[in-house]
Coordinates of all heavy atoms in Angstrom, one line a residue:
L678 N 45.1 16.3 28.7 CA 44.8 16.1 30.2 C 45.9 15.4 30.9 O 46.7 14.6 30.2 CB 43.5 15.2 30.3 CG 42.1 15.8 30.2 CD1 41.1 14.7 30.4 CD2 41.9 16.9 31.3
K679 N 46.0 15.6 32.2 CA 47.0 14.9 33.0 C 46.3 13.7 33.7 O 45.2 13.9 34.2 CB 47.6 15.8 34.0 CG 48.5 17.0 33.4 CD 49.8 16.5 32.9 CE 50.7 17.6 32.5 NZ 51.9 17.2 31.9
P680 N 47.0 12.6 33.8 CA 46.4 11.5 34.6 C 46.5 11.8 36.1 O 47.4 12.5 36.5 CB 47.2 10.3 34.2 CG 48.5 10.8 33.8 CD 48.2 12.2 33.2
D681 N 45.6 11.2 36.9 CA 45.7 11.3 38.3 C 46.9 10.6 38.8 O 47.6 11.0 39.8 CB 44.4 10.8 39.0 CG 43.2 11.6 38.6 OD1 43.4 12.8 38.2 OD2 42.1 11.1 38.7
E682 N 47.2 9.4 38.2 CA 48.3 8.6 38.6 C 49.0 8.1 37.3 O 48.4 8.1 36.2 CB 47.9 7.4 39.4 CG 47.3 7.7 40.7 CD 46.8 6.5 41.5 OE1 47.2 5.3 41.1 OE2 46.0 6.6 42.4
G683 N 50.3 7.8 37.4 CA 51.0 7.3 36.2 C 51.5 8.5 35.4 O 51.4 9.6 35.7
S684 N 52.1 8.1 34.2 CA 52.6 9.1 33.3 C 52.5 8.8 31.9 O 52.3 7.6 31.5 CB 54.1 9.3 33.6 OG 54.8 8.1 33.4
V685 N 52.6 9.8 31.0 CA 52.6 9.6 29.6 C 53.8 10.3 29.0 O 54.0 11.5 29.2 CB 51.3 10.2 28.9 CG1 51.3 10.1 27.4 CG2 50.0 9.5 29.4
I686 N 54.6 9.6 28.3 CA 55.8 10.1 27.7 C 55.6 10.2 26.2 O 55.3 9.1 25.5 CB 57.0 9.3 28.0 CG1 57.2 9.2 29.5 CG2 58.3 9.8 27.4 CD1 58.2 8.1 30.0
I687 N 55.8 11.3 25.5 CA 55.6 11.5 24.1 C 57.0 11.8 23.5 O 57.7 12.7 23.9 CB 54.7 12.7 23.8 CG1 53.3 12.4 24.4 CG2 54.5 12.9 22.3 CD1 52.3 13.5 24.3
G688 N 57.3 11.0 22.5 CA 58.6 11.1 21.8 C 58.8 12.4 21.1 O 57.9 13.1 20.7
E689 N 60.1 12.8 20.8 CA 60.4 14.1 20.2 C 59.9 14.2 18.8 O 59.6 15.3 18.4 CB 61.9 14.3 20.3 CG 62.5 14.4 21.7 CD 64.0 14.7 21.8 OE1 64.6 14.7 20.7 OE2 64.5 14.8 22.9
T690 N 59.9 13.1 18.0 CA 59.5 13.2 16.6 C 58.0 13.0 16.4 O 57.5 13.1 15.3 CB 60.3 12.1 15.8 OG1 59.9 10.8 16.3 CG2 61.8 12.3 15.9
V691 N 57.3 12.8 17.5 CA 55.8 12.6 17.4 C 55.1 13.8 17.0 O 55.3 14.9 17.6 CB 55.3 12.0 18.7 CG1 53.7 12.1 18.7 CG2 55.7 10.6 19.0
K692 N 54.3 13.7 15.9 CA 53.5 14.9 15.5 C 52.1 14.4 15.5 O 51.7 13.6 14.7 CB 53.9 15.3 14.1 CG 53.4 16.7 13.7 CD 54.1 17.2 12.4 CE 53.7 18.6 12.1 NZ 54.3 19.1 10.8
I693 N 51.3 14.9 16.5 CA 50.0 14.4 16.7 C 49.0 15.2 15.9 O 49.0 16.4 15.8 CB 49.6 14.5 18.2 CG1 50.5 13.5 19.0 CG2 48.2 14.2 18.5 CD1 50.3 13.6 20.5
G694 N 48.0 14.5 15.3 CA 46.9 15.1 14.6 C 45.6 14.6 15.3 O 45.5 13.4 15.6
I695 N 44.7 15.5 15.7 CA 43.5 15.1 16.4 C 42.3 15.6 15.6 O 42.1 16.8 15.4 CB 43.5 15.8 17.8 CG1 44.8 15.5 18.6 CG2 42.2 15.3 18.6 CD1 44.9 16.2 19.9
F696 N 41.5 14.6 15.2 CA 40.2 14.9 14.6 C 39.1 14.6 15.6 O 38.7 13.5 15.9 CB 40.0 13.9 13.4 CG 38.8 14.2 12.6 CD1 38.6 15.4 11.9 CD2 37.8 13.2 12.5 CE1 37.4 15.6 11.1 CE2 36.6 13.4 11.7 CZ 36.5 14.6 11.0
S697 N 38.7 15.7 16.3 CA 37.8 15.6 17.4 C 36.4 15.6 17.0 O 36.0 15.8 15.8 CB 38.1 16.7 18.4 OG 37.8 18.0 17.9
Q698 N 35.5 15.4 18.0 CA 34.0 15.4 17.7 C 33.5 16.8 17.3 O 32.5 16.9 16.6 CB 33.2 14.9 18.9 CG 33.5 13.4 19.2 CD 32.5 12.9 20.2 OE1 31.3 13.1 20.1 NE2 33.0 12.2 21.2
E699 N 34.2 17.8 17.8 CA 33.8 19.2 17.5 C 34.7 19.8 16.4 O 35.9 19.5 16.4 CB 33.8 20.1 18.8 CG 33.0 19.6 19.9 CD 31.5 19.5 19.6 OE1 31.1 20.4 18.8 OE2 30.8 18.7 20.1
N700 N 34.1 20.6 15.5 CA 34.9 21.2 14.5 C 35.7 22.4 15.1 O 35.2 23.5 15.2 CB 34.0 21.7 13.3 CG 33.3 20.6 12.7 OD1 33.7 19.4 12.7 ND2 32.2 20.9 12.1
E701 N 36.9 22.2 15.6 CA 37.6 23.2 16.3 C 38.1 24.4 15.4 O 38.3 24.2 14.2 CB 38.8 22.6 17.0 CG 38.4 21.6 18.1 CD 39.6 21.0 18.8 OE1 40.8 21.3 18.4 OE2 39.4 20.2 19.7
H702 N 38.2 25.5 15.9 CA 38.8 26.7 15.3 C 37.9 27.2 14.1 O 38.4 28.0 13.3 CB 40.2 26.5 14.8 CG 41.1 25.7 15.7 ND1 41.4 26.2 17.0 CD2 41.7 24.5 15.6 CE1 42.2 25.4 17.6 NE2 42.4 24.3 16.8
M703 N 36.7 26.8 14.0 CA 35.9 27.2 12.9 C 35.0 28.4 13.2 O 34.4 28.4 14.2 CB 34.9 26.1 12.4 CG 35.6 25.1 11.4 SD 34.4 24.1 10.6 CE 35.4 23.1 9.6
K704 N 35.1 29.5 12.4 CA 34.3 30.7 12.6 C 33.4 30.8 11.3 O 33.9 30.7 10.2 CB 35.2 31.9 12.7 CG 36.1 31.9 13.9 CD 37.1 33.0 13.9 CE 38.1 32.9 15.1 NZ 39.1 34.0 15.0
G705 N 32.1 31.0 11.6 CA 31.2 31.0 10.5 C 31.5 32.0 9.4 O 31.2 31.8 8.2
E706 N 32.0 33.2 9.8 CA 32.3 34.3 8.8 C 33.6 34.1 8.0 O 33.8 34.7 7.0 CB 32.3 35.6 9.5 CG 33.4 35.9 10.4 CD 33.2 35.3 11.8 OE1 32.2 34.6 12.0 OE2 34.1 35.6 12.7
E707 N 34.4 33.1 8.5 CA 35.7 32.9 7.9 C 35.6 32.2 6.5 O 34.7 31.3 6.4 CB 36.6 32.1 8.8 CG 38.1 32.0 8.3 CD 39.0 31.3 9.3 OE1 38.4 30.6 10.2 OE2 40.2 31.4 9.2
R708 N 36.4 32.6 5.5 CA 36.3 32.0 4.2 C 37.0 30.6 4.3 O 37.9 30.4 5.1 CB 37.0 32.8 3.1 CG 36.3 34.1 2.9 CD 36.9 34.8 1.7 NE 38.3 35.0 1.8 CZ 39.1 35.5 0.8 NH1 38.6 36.0 -0.3 NH2 40.4 35.6 1.0
V709 N 36.5 29.6 3.5 CA 37.0 28.3 3.5 C 38.5 28.3 3.2 O 39.3 27.6 3.9 CB 36.2 27.4 2.4 CG1 36.9 26.1 2.2 CG2 34.8 27.2 2.8
I710 N 38.9 29.0 2.2 CA 40.3 29.1 1.8 C 41.2 29.6 2.9 O 42.3 29.1 3.2 CB 40.5 29.9 0.5 CG1 42.0 29.9 0.0 CG2 40.1 31.4 0.7 CD1 42.4 28.6 -0.6
D711 N 40.7 30.6 3.7 CA 41.5 31.2 4.7 C 41.7 30.2 5.9 O 42.7 30.2 6.6 CB 40.9 32.5 5.2 CG 40.9 33.6 4.1 OD1 41.8 33.5 3.3 OD2 40.0 34.4 4.1
Y712 N 40.6 29.4 6.2 CA 40.7 28.4 7.2 C 41.8 27.4 7.0 O 42.5 27.0 7.9 CB 39.3 27.7 7.3 CG 39.2 26.6 8.3 CD1 39.2 26.8 9.7 CD2 39.2 25.3 7.9 CE1 39.1 25.8 10.6 CE2 39.1 24.2 8.8 CZ 39.1 24.5 10.1 OH 39.0 23.4 11.0
I713 N 41.9 27.0 5.7 CA 42.9 26.0 5.4 C 44.3 26.7 5.3 O 45.3 26.1 5.7 CB 42.6 25.3 4.0 CG1 41.4 24.5 4.2 CG2 43.8 24.5 3.5 CD1 41.5 23.4 5.2
K714 N 44.4 27.9 4.8 CA 45.7 28.6 4.7 C 46.3 28.9 6.1 O 47.5 29.0 6.2 CB 45.6 29.9 4.0 CG 45.5 29.7 2.4 CD 45.5 31.1 1.7 CE 45.5 30.9 0.2 NZ 45.5 32.2 -0.5
D715 N 45.4 28.9 7.1 CA 45.9 29.1 8.5 C 46.8 27.9 8.9 O 47.7 28.0 9.7 CB 44.8 29.2 9.5 CG 44.1 30.6 9.5 OD1 44.8 31.5 8.9 OD2 43.0 30.7 10.0
A716 N 46.6 26.7 8.3 CA 47.4 25.5 8.6 C 48.6 25.5 7.7 O 49.5 24.7 8.0 CB 46.5 24.3 8.4
G717 N 48.6 26.2 6.6 CA 49.7 26.2 5.7 C 49.3 26.5 4.3 O 48.2 26.2 3.8
E718 N 50.2 27.3 3.6 CA 49.9 27.7 2.2 C 50.2 26.6 1.2 O 49.5 26.5 0.2 CB 50.9 28.9 1.8 CG 50.6 30.2 2.6 CD 49.5 31.0 1.9 OE1 49.1 30.7 0.8 OE2 49.1 32.0 2.5
Y719 N 51.2 25.7 1.6 CA 51.5 24.6 0.7 C 51.7 23.4 1.5 O 52.0 23.4 2.7 CB 52.8 24.9 -0.1 CG 52.7 26.1 -1.1 CD1 53.0 27.4 -0.7 CD2 52.2 25.8 -2.4 CE1 52.8 28.4 -1.6 CE2 52.1 26.9 -3.3 CZ 52.4 28.2 -2.9 OH 52.2 29.2 -3.7
I720 N 51.6 22.2 0.9 CA 51.9 20.9 1.5 C 52.6 20.0 0.6 O 52.4 20.0 -0.6 CB 50.5 20.3 2.0 CG1 50.8 19.1 2.9 CG2 49.7 19.9 0.8 CD1 51.2 19.5 4.3
N721 N 53.5 19.2 1.1 CA 54.3 18.2 0.3 C 53.5 16.9 0.3 O 53.2 16.4 1.4 CB 55.7 18.0 0.9 CG 56.5 19.3 0.7 OD1 56.5 20.0 -0.4 ND2 57.3 19.6 1.7
T722 N 53.2 16.4 -0.9 CA 52.6 15.1 -1.0 C 53.4 14.2 -1.9 O 54.4 14.6 -2.5 CB 51.1 15.3 -1.6 OG1 51.2 15.6 -3.0 CG2 50.4 16.4 -0.9
R723 N 52.9 13.0 -2.1 CA 53.6 12.1 -3.0 C 53.6 12.6 -4.5 O 54.4 12.2 -5.3 CB 52.9 10.7 -3.0 CG 53.1 10.0 -1.7 CD 52.3 8.7 -1.6 NE 52.2 8.2 -0.3 CZ 51.3 7.4 0.2 NH1 50.3 7.1 -0.6 NH2 51.3 7.0 1.4
D724 N 52.6 13.5 -4.7 CA 52.4 14.0 -6.1 C 53.2 15.3 -6.2 O 53.2 16.0 -7.3 CB 51.0 14.3 -6.4 CG 50.1 13.1 -6.3 OD1 50.6 12.0 -6.5 OD2 48.9 13.2 -5.9
G725 N 54.0 15.7 -5.2 CA 54.7 17.0 -5.3 C 54.1 18.0 -4.4 O 53.2 17.8 -3.6
R726 N 54.6 19.2 -4.5 CA 54.2 20.3 -3.6 C 52.9 21.0 -4.2 O 52.9 21.4 -5.4 CB 55.3 21.4 -3.5 CG 55.1 22.5 -2.5 CD 56.5 23.2 -2.3 NE 56.4 24.2 -1.3 CZ 56.3 25.5 -1.5 NH1 56.4 25.9 -2.8 NH2 56.3 26.4 -0.6
I727 N 51.8 21.0 -3.4 CA 50.6 21.6 -4.0 C 50.1 22.7 -3.0 O 50.4 22.7 -1.8 CB 49.5 20.5 -4.2 CG1 49.1 19.8 -2.9 CG2 50.0 19.5 -5.2 CD1 48.0 18.9 -3.0
S728 N 49.3 23.6 -3.5 CA 48.8 24.7 -2.8 C 47.6 24.3 -2.0 O 46.9 23.3 -2.2 CB 48.5 25.9 -3.7 OG 47.3 25.5 -4.5
A729 N 47.2 25.2 -1.0 CA 46.0 25.0 -0.2 C 44.8 24.9 -1.1 O 43.9 24.1 -0.9 CB 45.9 26.1 0.8

Side-chain angles (χ1 to χ4, degrees):
L678 274 180
K679 294 285 185 184
D681 296 338
E682 296 177 15
S684 61
V685 174
I686 302 168
I687 299 176
E689 292 180 0
T690 61
V691 169
K692 197 169 184 181
I693 293 173
I695 306 172
F696 184 63
S697 65
Q698 292 191 49
E699 302 298 327
N700 300 335
E701 295 182 358
H702 316 301
M703 276 194 180
K704 299 174 184 176
E706 68 278 6
E707 188 176 17
R708 295 187 307 179
V709 170
I710 185 75
D711 295 331
Y712 175 75
I713 292 301
K714 282 184 174 180
D715 283 345
E718 292 274 353
Y719 295 90
I720 190 75
N721 292 318
T722 74
R723 292 172 193 157
D724 303 330
R726 191 166 181 255
I727 62 174
S728 68

